[in-house]
Amino acid sequence: MSDTKVRALDQGTAPERFARGWHCLGLAERFRDGKPHGIEAFGTKLVVWADTQGEIHVLDGYCRHMGGDLTQGEVKGDEVACPFHDWRWGGDGKCKQIPYARRVPLRARTQRYPVAIRNQQVLVWHDVEGSEPDMDILPPELPGIEEGLYTDWVWESEHIIGSNCRELIDNVVDMAHFYYVHFAFPTSFRNVFEGTQATQFMESKGRPDKTGGYGDAELFLKSEATYYGPSYMINWLDTDYKGFNTEVILFNNHIPTGQDSFLLQYGIIVKKPEGLDDKTANFIAKKYAQMFGEGFLQDVHIWKNKVPVQNPLLCEEDGPVYQLRRWYEQYYVDRADIVPEMVDRFEFEVDTTKANEFWQDEVAENLRKKAEEDAAGESSADEPAEKPQMMSGT
Amino acid sequence: MASFVPTSADTLEDQRLYTSARLVEVACLDCLAKVGVKKNSEHHTSIQWTAEARRHCPELSRRTGARDTFPACPRMIASIEAAVRDGQIPIGAEDGY
């Protein structure tokens, strides 16, 4: 009887809190223009500015006096001044000065977000329990960036409305979507979760039946993507396109803005190939950024139209979704409630053999059909060209 | 306080099936580490470590620095392969888990 039972989708309920951990707000340079900046995050708006020493500070964006929007104020000296009554807030979260008042109330303290700079980016610590920032779990500082071995940054962001950010996290284990959504063959796929890190090792090649861009059969990709905490992924991508090797680093990160929305951001740098001038290297970085941008949009289209699912039904060829979510759960419970299973090392090797056999046949069939159509002289000029993707860990 | 809360009790059983069911204990032939292993096919392997096993593994403890995630301990992989050859680990999935 139970064999014929209809499978129910458990959509579950999303958490009310936002993940504990380091979250990236963007490139530091962007905030060093002497102005306050507003960033939507954690269900509120943050104000970000640089003091006279260039040090970056982050506070809740609303003045504790009468709720004025600090992001529309001014930077005065080291402080941010509210546009409503000129209350001056310091980077330590204390009100330093109220120009029209005899004294500042002792209780004039606002929510401050501890800041760390990593890889030229601003990271803030968020924890609903109000803990001190955990410097031990900061993402690594990558060598060579300060030394100018990489191209200029290409930095993009996209506000995703209608999806919880866990949809993005799920991609870490989702082997098959790389073929269907991003037009790449994953030939090898492995996951390792441990402590505050979750990694995907993938080798893939482009689908030859989807033409254009870099994502064709000539493109081989070795990808290693690690989440350092709940929202900051570094994706090392070694690409081989017709024998031309490029080392790309993709920084994929997000900030939750609400229970069903998040700001997706990604930065790309490319190791300057020897013998190429900076201009050409920067051009290559832009090209890769474009491809990843299109790749993310393919994901977004799926996310916008799918439902959340708490009980995914898996087949043998799927990755370890349940274990990944168990790992991700550690950021949503109080520290005291983290259980060993959430952080214990876990390894998973996906069997890609059956999938690749089938996909090879399918691609061959698509190519055969296309050749037939071409031979029949059918014009495919008015069909929108499908853009293949050189795919990353997302 | 839980976060993503399932609304069905069946989901808890699914979580158990996919994460902890059918794990077979494999002891490393070189160190004191013992892990839980499941093999849904020849090529698939799922390895669950514990904190204690992790402490015993000298191979994994060597890694530090950026890009330091280590795909696997080769000694443990060899130990698992030996256990498979000995028939200690049943190979095959049960309805996808």
Side-chain angles (χ1 to χ4, degrees):
Chain A
M1 284 296 282
S2 62
D3 287 348
T4 57
K5 194 176 146 196
V6 171
R7 176 82 180 176
L9 266 184
D10 180 355
Q11 297 196 24
T13 49
E16 282 165 21
R17 64 168 74 182
F18 297 102
R20 169 183 46 250
W22 292 100
H23 292 77
C24 177
L25 303 186
L27 291 175
E29 216 36 52
R30 176 191 156 199
F31 302 110
R32 293 195 174 116
D33 60 354
K35 294 184 186 130
H37 294 256
I39 300 255
E40 271 188 64
F42 315 121
T44 180
K45 183 155 72 170
L46 313 183
V47 61
V48 187
W49 81 100
D51 64 21
T52 52
Q53 306 301 309
E55 199 177 322
I56 288 166
H57 304 286
V58 181
L59 302 179
D60 184 76
Y62 297 101
C63 183
R64 294 312 195 243
H65 174 221
M66 295 284 282
D69 183 348
L70 296 173
T71 73
Q72 294 177 8
E74 280 176 58
V75 175
K76 296 183 178 173
D78 288 332
E79 291 130 28
V80 63
C82 182
F84 202 179
H85 306 91
D86 203 27
W87 284 38
R88 316 280 178 86
W89 296 90
D92 59 0
K94 289 183 196 161
C95 181
K96 303 292 186 186
Q97 202 192 141
I98 306 169
Y100 66 87
R102 272 192 202 91
R103 57 182 71 91
V104 175
L106 289 172
R107 290 178 295 157
R109 252 176 194 275
T110 187
Q111 179 67 49
R112 142 185 189 265
Y113 292 85
V115 171
I117 306 291
R118 273 290 183 280
N119 303 310
Q120 304 179 338
Q121 302 154 34
V122 176
L123 274 64
V124 292
W125 176 256
H126 172 267
D127 181 8
V128 288
E129 290 184 275
S131 69
E132 284 300 307
D134 189 340
M135 309 305 276
D136 293 339
I137 58 170
L138 269 170
E141 187 91 64
L142 303 191
I145 297 180
E146 287 297 335
E147 292 81 357
L149 300 183
Y150 289 85
T151 58
D152 297 340
W153 286 99
V154 179
W155 193 273
E156 304 285 347
S157 52
E158 172 94 21
H159 201 191
I160 313 291
I161 314 279
S163 303
N164 184 280
C165 51
R166 194 178 64 175
E167 302 289 353
L168 172 65
I169 301 293
D170 279 348
N171 281 0
V172 170
V173 295
D174 195 343
M175 188 275 289
H177 100 288
F178 287 102
Y179 176 84
Y180 294 102
V181 181
H182 302 303
F183 309 145
F185 283 101
T187 49
S188 160
F189 196 98
R190 186 179 181 85
N191 288 114
V192 176
F193 313 139
E194 183 168 12
T196 54
Q197 298 176 19
T199 300
Q200 173 198 89
F201 300 90
M202 178 170 69
E203 288 172 30
S204 65
K205 55 184 180 180
R207 276 175 66 172
D209 59 332
K210 307 280 180 181
T211 53
Y214 288 73
D216 62 24
E218 300 278 1
L219 185 100
F220 293 88
L221 179 68
K222 220 176 154 180
S223 162
E224 185 180 329
T226 297
Y227 265 106
Y228 295 90
S231 72
Y232 188 92
M233 173 194 268
I234 302 180
N235 189 175
W236 288 271
L237 293 144
D238 296 326
T239 69
D240 174 348
Y241 185 65
K242 298 183 176 172
F244 187 74
N245 296 309
T246 312
E247 186 193 321
V248 182
I249 305 181
L250 168 70
F251 294 79
N252 160 33
N253 54 83
H254 68 272
I255 315 167
T257 51
Q259 289 320 336
D260 63 347
S261 61
F262 58 98
L263 182 73
L264 174 68
Q265 303 203 82
Y266 55 96
I268 285 175
I269 50 175
V270 173
K271 184 98 167 268
K272 291 177 190 168
E274 270 180 48
L276 274 191
D277 59 284
D278 284 8
K279 203 180 148 199
T280 313
N282 284 331
F283 175 78
I284 293 174
K286 274 211 182 69
K287 279 289 170 202
Y288 276 111
Q290 231 168 33
M291 280 189 299
F292 291 124
E294 285 164 8
F296 281 125
L297 292 181
Q298 291 171 323
D299 280 323
V300 170
H301 181 76
I302 297 282
W303 296 334
K304 276 192 195 300
N305 293 285
K306 77 184 286 296
V307 292
V309 53
Q310 201 61 40
N311 62 337
L313 179 63
L314 306 180
C315 65
E316 289 165 44
E317 280 68 25
D318 285 329
V321 183
Y322 284 86
Q323 288 88 346
L324 176 73
R325 290 176 170 192
R326 184 179 65 181
W327 169 85
Y328 189 54
E329 182 87 2
Q330 67 177 296
Y331 304 112
Y332 289 88
V333 297
D334 287 353
R335 261 181 199 264
D337 295 334
I338 295 175
V339 295
E341 297 87 78
M342 294 177 186
V343 292
D344 280 346
R345 183 180 174 92
F346 173 76
E347 301 169 21
F348 195 97
E349 176 85 31
V350 176
D351 187 345
T352 60
T353 47
K354 165 68 192 151
N356 272 276
E357 276 169 31
F358 175 76
W359 290 336
Q360 295 287 2
D361 289 349
E362 186 171 76
V363 165
E365 177 63 12
N366 287 346
L367 290 172
R368 191 190 59 77
K369 276 190 207 149
K370 189 170 174 302
E372 252 177 37
E373 281 169 19
D374 289 351
E378 284 180 20
S379 167
S380 59
D382 32 318
E383 284 172 29
E386 279 178 287
K387 289 274 176 70
Q389 296 303 323
M390 206 209 59
M391 267 331 287
S392 64
T394 56
Chain B
M1 178 182 161
S3 64
F4 299 89
V5 184
T7 50
S8 158
D10 292 345
T11 300
L12 297 176
E13 174 59 7
D14 278 331
Q15 286 172 351
R16 189 192 70 78
L17 282 181
Y18 287 115
T19 61
S20 58
R22 299 179 48 226
L23 287 176
V24 177
E25 188 179 271
V26 174
C28 182
L29 299 173
D30 284 319
C31 78
L32 296 173
K34 283 180 190 165
V35 295
V37 176
K38 182 167 77 170
K39 279 187 81 72
N40 286 343
S41 66
E42 281 291 341
H43 191 70
H44 163 267
T45 315
S46 184
I47 309 174
Q48 180 65 61
W49 291 73
T50 61
E52 195 198 341
R54 184 65 178 73
R55 273 193 298 275
H56 285 307
C57 180
E59 201 72 40
L60 293 178
S61 302
R62 258 201 284 282
R63 308 285 290 198
T64 50
R67 202 174 181 175
D68 60 353
T69 303
F70 201 30
C73 167
R75 293 158 191 270
M76 183 56 83
I77 295 294
S79 305
I80 291 169
E81 281 167 3
V84 169
R85 279 196 301 275
D86 288 354
Q88 290 171 34
I89 303 172
I91 294 180
E94 268 177 40
D95 201 30
Y97 61 84

